[in-house]
Amino acid sequence: MASSKNNTQDLVRLSQWDALLLESLKGYGWSADELLRRVREGDVPEDTSKFKFNYQNLLDTAAADFDTVEAAVRQGYRIKFNTLRGLSNWILLALKAEPEVVAEPGQEAILVTLTAEQHSRLLSVISYGWTVTETGAAESGSHYRIEPMTRL
């Protein structure tokens, strides 16, 4: 599958869970080749973060369809479906930004300050059904409100 970061329609799709697991492993700073070798061989560390991830689901996905995992690592990916908390955790892991979750019924949103590069990465990954609105400027980027689209 030919993929391009410039054309997000061509990116492989990952479950939110696999995306979180992948971003957690990227946090180790391995090269793409090293990360893929470790996933292929099942040579992943025990997660000692607050998430306590079990990487078995990602290992199972790679065993069933390694090409998808490889494309996700090398070209990027889109998440099939995001939840409020899952997207918030993805922002923390992948973008190293500190999101604030608004969980009030009818007002659900994520508030976060992002650089232009982080904002671009978020837009390339986020699933359909979400809006990302700039709400102001900050010294280190811009403030954004990320919320599920409302149904008309």
Side-chain angles (χ1 to χ4, degrees):
M1 164 184 266
S3 296
S4 164
K5 284 191 175 189
N6 294 330
N7 187 353
T8 58
Q9 298 293 57
D10 291 341
L11 296 177
V12 295
R13 308 275 180 182
L14 289 184
S15 72
Q16 180 174 265
W17 190 246
D18 280 345
L20 288 168
L21 296 174
L22 184 60
E23 293 303 333
S24 173
L25 289 175
K26 283 182 175 182
Y28 285 94
W30 300 319
S31 68
D33 289 338
E34 177 69 7
L35 191 153
L36 291 166
R37 180 197 66 77
R38 286 173 171 272
V39 168
R40 178 174 277 176
E41 295 175 7
D43 181 18
V44 293
E46 181 178 335
D47 183 27
T48 58
S49 76
K50 72 177 187 173
F51 297 106
K52 304 282 187 242
F53 286 128
N54 176 339
Y55 296 108
Q56 191 59 51
N57 193 70
L58 183 63
L59 300 178
D60 292 345
T61 298
D65 184 4
F66 189 77
D67 290 345
T68 293
V69 174
E70 182 175 28
V73 169
R74 295 192 189 281
Q75 284 95 35
Y77 59 88
R78 286 195 69 93
I79 297 175
K80 294 176 187 177
F81 179 82
N82 286 114
T83 63
L84 188 70
R85 298 257 182 230
L87 183 54
S88 173
N89 288 334
W90 184 90
I91 290 168
L92 181 65
L93 286 168
L95 303 180
K96 309 295 187 246
E98 293 287 335
E100 175 188 341
V101 174
V102 177
E104 232 177 275
Q107 301 298 314
E108 295 91 349
I110 299 166
L111 309 176
V112 67
T113 301
L114 301 173
T115 65
E117 184 179 314
Q118 290 169 320
H119 176 251
S120 179
R121 174 119 194 264
L122 172 67
L123 292 179
S124 76
V125 170
I126 197 169
S127 68
Y128 176 77
W130 291 82
T131 59
V132 179
T133 307
E134 185 173 353
T135 60
E139 206 172 287
S140 60
S142 295
H143 298 296
Y144 293 94
R145 181 178 180 90
I146 305 161
E147 57 193 336
M149 289 182 189
T150 56
R151 295 190 181 142
L152 299 176

